[in-house]
Amino acid sequence: MGAFKEPHGGELKDLYLPEGKADLEKEEAKDYASWDLTQRQICDLDLLMNGAFSPLEGFLGQEEYESVCQDMRLASGVLWPMPITLDVTEAFAGNISAGDSIALRDMEGVLLAIMQVSDIWTPDRSLEARQVFGTTDDTHPAVGFLMHESNPVYLGGKIQGIEPPTYYDFKLLRDTPSELRGRFRKLGWRRIVAFQTRNPLHRAHQELTFRAAREADANLLIQPVVGMTRAGDIDHFTRVRCYEHVLEEYPEQTTQLSLLNLAMRMGGPRETLWHAIIRKNYGCTHFIVGRDHAGPGNDKNGNPFYGPYDAQELFTQHEEELDIAMVPFKMMVYVENKAEYMPADAVEPTDKVLNLSGTEFRRRLQEGLEIPEWFSYPKVVEELRKGHPPKHLQGFTVFFTGLSGSGKSTIANALMVKLLEIGSRPVTLLDGDIVRKNLSSELNFSKEHRDLNIQRIGFVASEITKNGGIAICAPIAPYTTTRRQVRKAVSDVGGFIEVHVATPLEVCEKRDRKGLYVKARAGLIKGFTGIDDPYEVPENAEVVIDTNKLTPDLAAHRILITLEKLGYIR
Ligand code: PPS
């Protein structure tokens, strides 16, 4: 291990302009071309401007970018493993030239920085993926981003910071590197071990981080990522409330919590070095690196993208010049007979080790089952349960589809009443006719307007579902693609149950309660579903109902049984 610098040593590149200068530049910038930053670009810019990405002074130019991709080094030879680039559209790039200044704005149009564009180029994104992430398999989140989300043209150039992006949450826990260095100095901390995380912390993490700090004879910084983590991760609001509880478990004055607005790439070994450099900039002297640090999981063929200790190996190779020491993460296990956590390699053959895998933990959380105290802290579990309630407390949507006159509304009404009787959550009925009157009164029955109608229903249903309610929708919804979109939007936030009311056309036509089929046959109504406009039969409906065989009451009851089986009611 190399000799460690003082925690508050090392030059920081603070890219913010002094106040007066920033005001002048703000005026000038009114004439510049404006780029509206994406969420990821805002994270990158934030950490560039506040010095967390020191020694970078802006978004990489082409030569530096190529050198970083290929050799993990800036033109100066300094180790830098991650290309930090500004991706823009061809249309935007077409209007600017090298030497121009451009205004970088947040999503509300607030000017955050000015960039002096030095380079404009179209990168070979699959080469970048191979060089930086070792693969072109787009199941790797960073590769998927590069291939499908990133804009095709990169801009490089120095940054002049005007103001940091605004965040309204957890303000006291968001620090710049100089603020955190200042705090360490004030506390008299000289050796600081940093712990990076994108997950909630449980007892094992508390044990391992505390032991790591003790072994390194250092204080501890818990520095979770709140910028962008992996899709499907627990939201940062819930996580930060959990971290605050875990913080109480450390001996007083040993540990600090600070949030990092980093957009993670899940880039494994290279990302590990990047994390370490950032922590060094924040004034830390040690960095905990675990098994498969920042790993993106498995590739298309089910093989891990990186070996479990690749990150630690790469770190070891560069530890000297990184100038921050690695503390390798030791697996901690709970030994029941000793009633304590121990490093896995210190367990004796006679010890009884208890285990709860991540998958089992999530299952228990999902189903509202008990989570043992040896695994986590009751307050943490309570927060997680609040943020991610079990299915019987989550919102859901029952989405009826079927021909006009198939009986959707009658069954939907019966279901609504039964759910109100159970009384577990508020219920909203979005019947076809109600929606047509209140949400979609200007729409007709063209394909385009029907799609819009269903998308609106889907949007309202997903909002209701997200907030823990029950939405019952009963439009015709004749097209598969649109139904699939609604399923996706709602499933992201809660349950989605599709019910196909499969009453045959002949029966609907015979009933013809509203006299519309007669009119459609006579050509008085055009584009009538089932007559001269298609009804695409659903293939994956959770429930299919034949109203010839079931009364509305029994049909609603069958849906209730399905909801019960799926865990949404009990
Ligand atoms: S869609 O396709 O999902 O947007 O239709 P929806 O909003 O459910 O509206 C269906 C009701 O509108 C009446 N109606 C028609 N239906 C189908 N095709 C045409 N061209 C049409 N014109 C008017 C009809 O009464 C439908 O009501 P329900 O309750 O389904 O019978």
Side-chain angles (χ1 to χ4, degrees), residues 12-16 37 40-60 74 80 82-86 104 113-115 155 157-161 165 177 260-262 265 274 278 281-282:
L12 273 182
K13 300 276 182 193
D14 180 340
L15 305 185
Y16 286 104
L37 298 155
R40 172 157 135 163
Q41 292 169 343
I42 289 180
C43 291
D44 284 354
L45 181 66
D46 188 14
L47 299 199
L48 271 172
M49 294 196 293
N50 73 16
F53 286 174
S54 299
L56 302 196
E57 294 179 15
F59 289 101
L60 297 181
L74 300 171
W80 185 270
M82 199 56 72
I84 306 296
T85 47
L86 186 74
L104 302 183
I114 290 162
M115 176 172 173
L155 303 184
K158 287 197 172 175
I159 289 294
Q160 292 179 308
L260 184 65
N261 191 28
L262 177 72
R265 278 40 169 183
W274 187 39
I278 294 168
N281 286 330
Y282 270 95

Side-chain angles (χ1 to χ4, degrees), residues 404-405 408 436 445 450 453-454 475-478 514 516 527-529:
S404 170
K408 302 180 298 286
R436 285 266 168 195
F445 286 87
R450 286 179 195 255
N453 182 40
I454 301 306
I476 297 180
K514 299 181 189 165
L516 295 173
F528 199 84
T529 307

Side-chain angles (χ1 to χ4, degrees), residues 422-540:
I422 294 170
S424 61
R425 315 156 173 93
V427 187
T428 304
L429 178 60
L430 298 165
D431 192 21
D433 286 337
I434 303 175
V435 171
R436 285 266 168 195
K437 200 153 111 206
N438 295 292
L439 266 185
S440 294
S441 56
E442 85 287 18
L443 301 185
N444 58 36
F445 286 87
S446 64
K447 163 137 189 10
E448 194 194 351
H449 277 193
R450 286 179 195 255
D451 281 347
L452 207 53
N453 182 40
I454 301 306
Q455 280 157 6
R456 288 179 187 173
I457 294 174
F459 171 73
V460 177
S462 67
E463 286 296 307
I464 292 169
T465 303
K466 186 172 78 187
N467 292 314
I470 300 173
I472 303 176
C473 315
I476 297 180
Y479 310 124
T480 308
T481 318
T482 335
R483 289 194 302 257
R484 203 177 290 144
Q485 284 168 359
V486 174
R487 178 184 283 273
K488 164 90 182 60
V490 177
S491 305
D492 282 350
V493 293
F496 185 81
I497 298 94
E498 189 172 332
V499 180
H500 177 207
V501 183
T503 313
L505 178 64
E506 312 79 72
V507 179
C508 297
E509 201 169 352
K510 206 147 94 210
R511 289 182 192 157
D512 204 8
R513 294 223 173 89
K514 299 181 189 165
L516 295 173
Y517 282 97
V518 173
K519 285 190 185 152
R521 288 285 181 202
L524 298 172
I525 304 178
K526 297 264 180 268
F528 199 84
T529 307
I531 307 297
D532 56 347
D533 204 71
Y535 179 78
E536 297 167 6
V537 174
E539 282 169 7
N540 305 315

Side-chain angles (χ1 to χ4, degrees), residues 334-340 347-348 350-354:
Y334 186 73
V335 179
E336 192 183 30
N337 47 299
K338 294 185 175 138
E340 66 174 357
V347 171
E348 291 170 48
T350 50
D351 284 339
K352 185 173 179 219
V353 170
L354 297 186

Side-chain angles (χ1 to χ4, degrees), residues 50-290:
N50 73 16
F53 286 174
S54 299
L56 302 196
E57 294 179 15
F59 289 101
L60 297 181
Q62 184 171 3
E63 201 185 317
E64 296 231 275
Y65 158 80
E66 284 167 2
S67 161
V68 165
C69 288
Q70 197 174 314
D71 302 321
M72 296 203 303
R73 290 189 186 277
L74 300 171
S76 61
V78 168
L79 188 69
W80 185 270
M82 199 56 72
I84 306 296
T85 47
L86 186 74
D87 57 300
V88 298
T89 56
E90 279 167 346
F92 183 80
N95 282 330
I96 54 168
S97 321
D100 286 356
S101 290
I102 60 168
L104 302 183
R105 298 183 186 276
D106 72 7
M107 288 153 191
E108 269 90 50
V110 176
L111 178 68
L112 301 184
I114 290 162
M115 176 172 173
Q116 276 100 39
V117 179
S118 56
D119 297 64
I120 305 173
W121 78 102
T122 303
D124 178 343
R125 286 182 277 165
S126 60
L127 178 65
E128 176 182 335
R130 253 194 324 276
Q131 289 180 323
V132 180
F133 303 110
T135 178
T136 50
D137 180 339
D138 64 3
T139 46
H140 187 301
V143 176
F145 176 87
L146 259 179
M147 302 303 191
H148 311 302
E149 282 180 62
S150 169
N151 289 301
V153 183
Y154 285 179
L155 303 184
K158 287 197 172 175
I159 289 294
Q160 292 179 308
I162 305 290
E163 64 177 272
T166 307
Y167 292 99
Y168 299 102
D169 56 333
F170 306 116
K171 281 170 186 273
L172 281 178
L173 292 174
R174 296 175 183 267
D175 299 289
T176 66
S178 40
E179 281 167 348
L180 208 51
R181 287 180 183 203
R183 196 185 322 162
F184 294 155
R185 214 175 294 132
K186 224 172 183 175
L187 291 166
W189 290 11
R190 301 170 79 79
R191 293 166 68 89
I192 299 117
V193 51
F195 183 66
Q196 135 87 33
T197 183
R198 46 174 259 271
N199 289 311
L201 301 185
H202 304 297
R203 284 188 197 270
H205 302 101
Q206 195 276 348
E207 285 285 342
L208 94 87
T209 50
F210 189 62
R211 275 171 192 254
R214 218 165 39 197
E215 274 166 34
D217 197 12
N219 287 95
L220 179 63
L221 173 71
I222 306 287
Q223 200 179 32
V225 171
V226 294
M228 290 171 79
T229 62
R230 201 173 180 175
D233 280 350
I234 300 219
D235 67 281
H236 81 269
F237 298 103
T238 305
R239 282 192 289 121
V240 176
R241 290 196 299 269
C242 291
Y243 301 137
E244 286 180 316
H245 294 308
V246 176
L247 211 66
E248 292 163 10
E249 302 296 329
Y250 293 95
E252 258 182 55
Q253 322 230 344
T254 58
T255 306
Q256 290 278 318
L257 172 66
S258 181
L259 309 180
L260 184 65
N261 191 28
L262 177 72
M264 287 182 73
R265 278 40 169 183
M266 306 307 301
R270 275 202 189 216
E271 176 134 355
T272 305
L273 301 193
W274 187 39
H275 288 178
I277 294 169
I278 294 168
R279 272 41 184 235
K280 187 184 75 172
N281 286 330
Y282 270 95
C284 302
T285 51
H286 294 69
F287 185 58
I288 299 175
V289 181

Side-chain angles (χ1 to χ4, degrees), residues 359-398:
T359 317
E360 174 61 11
F361 173 68
R362 279 189 292 276
R363 186 186 78 85
R364 289 186 182 211
L365 212 54
Q366 270 272 318
E367 297 178 16
L369 301 174
E370 191 231 326
I371 288 159
E373 277 225 24
W374 62 261
F375 181 79
S376 193
Y377 306 97
K379 282 183 178 172
V380 169
V381 174
E382 200 184 310
E383 288 295 350
L384 292 173
R385 286 199 202 281
K386 242 196 298 173
H388 298 263
K391 275 191 176 166
H392 72 278
L393 296 176
Q394 280 176 23
F396 64 84
T397 290
V398 181

